[in-house]
Amino acid sequence: MVNVTIDGIKIQVPEKTTILDAASQAGVHIPTLCFMKELNEIGACRVCVVEVEGYDRLFTACNNTVAEGMVIKTNSKKARDARKVNVKLILSQHNTNCAVCVRSGNCTLQKVANDLNVHSIPYEKQLPENRGSLKFPLIRDYDKCIKCMRCIQVCDKIQNANIWDVVNTGSRVTVDVTGAYDLEDSQCALCGQCITHCPVGALRERDDVDRVLEAIEDPEKITVVQIAPSIRAAWGEPFGLDPEFATVKRLAAALRRVGVDYVFDTNFTADLTIMEEGSEFLEKISHPEHNKFPMFTSCCPGWVRYVKAHYPEFVDQLSSAKSPQQMFGAVAKSYFAEKLEVDPSKIFCVSIMPCLAKKAECAYPSMLDEQGDPEVDCSLTTREVNRLIRSEQIIVKDLPEEELDMPFGIGSGAGNIFGATGGVMEAALRSAYYLVNKENPDPDAFKSVRGMDGWKEAEFELAGKTLRVAVTNGLGNANKLLTYLKQGRVKYDFVEVMACPGGCVGGGGQPIHDGVEMAPERAPILYSQDKSMKLRFSHENPSVNEIYEKYFEAPLSERAHHLLHTDHHAWKMPGEK
């Protein structure tokens, strides 16, 4: 322990404690901008500078440690003046047209500048002229980048995708794509973690809200919306609503106020996915001599993009089942169109997803209906649907709950937990157990695959065999697992991979809380909802059973293969042969 004095407050802290952490323990706030604990502690922005007695130079608080007897002044004139100059210099190279920025009101630079009482910039503006593609799902606004390096760190250290890097030298130093000229030509998985870790609006998703509004206002279009499981754990956050109040039924009410015709639940097609993917797995383990293991889940398009780009030798081991988003689109433009007795081209299918990769997925040439139109016309992130609701001047807290529409408004608890890491595996095992034993297990029998650990393993007895499964979340952990598989250090039968840390609840399209990882807060909401539901098994979903009885006949039938499965080689990642 060392003794230090911070702004006149004497405290004891463990040696090697940073000045920033020591100040926090003393109840003293030091502003930061580029800092992210255990990820980006490089002092790039120099907003956290403090004065230490006995030294002429200022110290960055985020990456300098305390020493015995150190006397620190966090807000002396010298520190305060330097801090303001640093912020003004950053603003001189930043597009400060905040009124039309998606991060206005939720921007760390904006808050720091306001807190420091910065109201003018005495330096000449120098904005880069580079422009990212406005058509790609991930957009980089070069004139908003503050060179904090957070996107590089999360992409390298957490996601192992290595898309961003420092380029140029001297005053021309900036952050840009590495290994490709344009972002759309890179091997980006579109996980969106660079967006949620960016403190400003330099990275954002392509906004498709206007496309949805155009469809709603088109009298020839029937707008059908599906809501992903993880959305119900997060959509109320920007409105200051508790999860208990911000239910999926209240979101349905908001969407109907916007003007959509039908509001359905992606939990329905999550259950449908389990029936197809679970049956596919059982068929494979029944004929191990003809198959390679492990079989990997395929519901996360970020993961699919990553494995195609980095480990193409494993692509054939992906489940051929489409993601719940795409299964829904396929069903909406076939079975549902027939029920409505309308041409499928009249249906405009919208998904609300926690994800940018979903925007890319619905545009793949392998995801078209019989008429050559996209099965899912448009995918909105959670942030976009929040902006859509605000743009329509809807006061969410005044809305009553409204039931989702039928026949796709029913989802099981198993479908609900798809949004958390381990949820797909648990849902699949619940139904696989039933399909083998013709009786339900305890719904929580497979809960050992839950939790935020990056790589989890478990063994279960199924069909007289010991089933070895693994669950990973975050592409960095997926990279480790795939490396171990290649080296023969581990062997599994079934593996679930989610691209985002914590699963979809921590998705790149979810509401941003700077410096806070929200997945551990959101996942328990989904499990709590699962536990309180009467329907906890995918195979007991009455709407799923009805669609098999009336349309698909059985999982893996010819029609099910045609509509609910895909060829992962039917589209290419940049650079893929």
Side-chain angles (χ1 to χ4, degrees), residues 185-464:
D185 295 326
S186 73
Q187 294 183 334
C188 179
L190 289 172
C191 67
Q193 291 301 306
C194 56
I195 295 179
T196 57
H197 288 75
C198 177
V200 293
L203 292 158
R204 59 186 172 92
E205 70 271 40
R206 182 188 69 223
D207 193 298
D208 293 316
V209 168
D210 286 345
R211 280 191 63 207
V212 173
L213 288 172
E214 286 173 11
I216 290 172
E217 292 163 4
D218 185 344
E220 297 297 313
K221 292 291 184 183
I222 300 169
T223 50
V224 173
V225 175
Q226 55 167 312
I227 303 172
S230 61
I231 304 304
R232 63 205 71 205
W235 76 271
E237 291 169 2
F239 299 107
L241 305 176
D242 292 332
E244 292 79 10
F245 185 85
T247 60
V248 69
K249 293 180 180 180
R250 194 158 269 112
L251 178 55
L255 291 168
R256 291 201 183 100
R257 298 297 189 281
V258 172
V260 305
D261 295 303
Y262 294 94
V263 184
F264 293 128
D265 199 338
T266 312
N267 282 8
F268 161 76
T269 38
D271 288 334
L272 197 60
T273 299
I274 288 302
M275 298 304 293
E276 292 296 321
E277 192 171 74
S279 298
E280 180 186 6
F281 176 65
L282 289 175
E283 185 179 84
K284 286 188 174 185
I285 61 172
S286 298
H287 303 91
E289 67 279 7
H290 301 308
N291 295 286
K292 281 186 174 182
F293 292 92
M295 187 181 93
F296 294 97
T297 57
S298 58
C299 52
C300 172
W303 148 242
V304 173
R305 288 178 65 88
Y306 182 82
V307 73
K308 280 173 67 70
H310 297 273
Y311 293 89
E313 63 268 36
F314 287 109
V315 171
D316 288 332
Q317 290 170 238
L318 289 167
S319 166
S320 65
K322 290 179 179 177
S323 70
Q325 167 181 272
Q326 294 306 135
M327 283 196 184
F328 184 93
V331 168
K333 295 197 175 182
S334 57
Y335 176 73
F336 187 58
E338 289 182 18
K339 283 181 74 73
L340 293 183
E341 298 182 344
V342 300
D343 190 285
S345 64
K346 290 187 176 293
I347 293 178
F348 189 88
C349 185
V350 181
S351 67
I352 300 174
M353 295 284 148
C355 179
L356 274 71
K358 291 292 185 185
K359 289 179 179 286
E361 183 186 40
C362 63
Y364 293 152
S366 55
M367 301 297 180
L368 304 177
D369 66 12
E370 297 295 331
Q371 299 184 3
D373 296 323
E375 293 166 334
V376 177
D377 295 280
C378 188
S379 180
L380 299 182
T381 64
T382 319
R383 294 189 294 268
E384 284 175 282
V385 83
N386 291 145
R387 295 198 291 268
L388 171 63
I389 291 169
R390 282 202 167 98
S391 72
E392 294 295 298
Q393 310 301 314
I394 295 168
I395 309 301
V396 180
K397 65 180 180 63
D398 293 340
L399 292 177
E401 291 188 323
E402 294 181 9
E403 295 294 330
L404 277 68
D405 291 298
M406 294 299 289
F408 309 139
I410 296 178
S412 74
N416 202 70
I417 60 176
F418 256 60
T421 175
V424 178
M425 178 64 71
E426 185 174 349
L429 291 173
R430 289 182 192 179
S431 287
Y433 183 97
Y434 171 80
L435 292 172
V436 169
N437 299 301
K438 304 306 178 188
E439 64 179 15
N440 286 336
D442 182 303
D444 298 313
F446 307 105
K447 65 181 181 181
S448 59
V449 298
R450 299 177 187 175
M452 292 293 118
D453 290 345
W455 180 350
K456 294 161 285 189
E457 299 175 322
E459 289 188 356
F460 303 102
E461 292 299 316
L462 188 68

Side-chain angles (χ1 to χ4, degrees), residues 3-12 22-23 25-28 70 72:
N3 297 283
V4 295
T5 303
I6 304 177
D7 292 350
I9 302 169
K10 297 181 184 295
I11 63 167
Q12 274 193 338
Q25 292 179 43
V28 174
M70 187 178 273
I72 302 162

Side-chain angles (χ1 to χ4, degrees), residues 511-564:
I512 298 171
H513 301 265
D514 192 29
V516 180
E517 298 292 348
M518 292 298 295
E521 307 297 322
R522 294 168 181 154
I525 297 168
L526 300 184
Y527 285 112
S528 174
Q529 292 171 349
D530 165 44
K531 200 168 188 65
S532 66
M533 294 171 77
K534 292 181 180 179
L535 185 64
R536 299 189 67 188
F537 297 95
S538 297
H539 56 269
E540 291 185 347
N541 185 327
S543 290
V544 168
N545 293 331
E546 180 181 333
I547 202 171
Y548 276 118
E549 180 183 336
K550 294 182 177 179
Y551 200 68
F552 290 119
E553 296 181 1
L556 306 184
S557 68
E558 184 177 346
R559 178 175 275 177
H561 263 296
H562 179 63
L563 288 175
L564 305 181

